[in-house]
Amino acid sequence: MGVSLQPVEGIVHLGQDVASLERVKAHALGLDDFRLTGLATAVPLFGSAVLGLALERGALSADEAFDLSRLEEAFQEDQWGVDEEAADRTAARRAEAQLLERWFAATV
């Protein structure tokens, strides 16, 4: 997309390149209603506009994007074990990501 984003650690805001943000905005506004709806669902599901856009554009599969979106959760599971309720939520969210992948494929 010709976008350059600066990585950030922690919770302190770092402004991004305005031209890059404008390119992302133009891309989103150029989507039809179905793809925009999918993107609007993917971004909060993954907690990341980058991962949502990667899924929408076919750069990542649903499973790849989902796994990247939960790196911290996976680390905590490795450290402390898997909570059954959290595992159920994770499975439901993964299924939603997979549904979004099919949604985007159907709207091409």
Side-chain angles (χ1 to χ4, degrees), residues 14-107:
L14 175 67
Q16 299 293 331
D17 176 58
V18 174
S20 291
L21 296 176
E22 287 299 322
R23 279 196 270 305
V24 171
K25 181 179 177 180
H27 172 76
L29 292 175
L31 296 174
D32 65 36
D33 290 346
F34 293 103
R35 290 188 76 81
L36 185 57
T37 297
L39 181 60
T41 303
V43 169
L45 175 65
F46 298 137
S48 168
V50 171
L51 293 175
L53 286 163
L55 180 62
E56 184 267 326
R57 295 176 57 89
L60 291 175
S61 71
D63 286 327
E64 290 169 326
F66 186 74
D67 288 342
L68 288 169
S69 77
R70 60 180 310 277
L71 287 174
E72 174 64 22
E73 292 172 45
F75 173 80
Q76 293 300 327
E77 289 171 355
D78 288 345
Q79 295 296 307
W80 307 106
V82 177
D83 175 84
E84 187 175 322
E85 288 181 26
D88 290 343
R89 284 191 308 274
T90 297
R93 290 175 50 229
R94 181 179 297 279
E96 186 175 352
Q98 292 166 342
L99 179 63
L100 281 168
E101 183 174 31
R102 291 191 301 274
W103 174 272
F104 287 128
T107 61

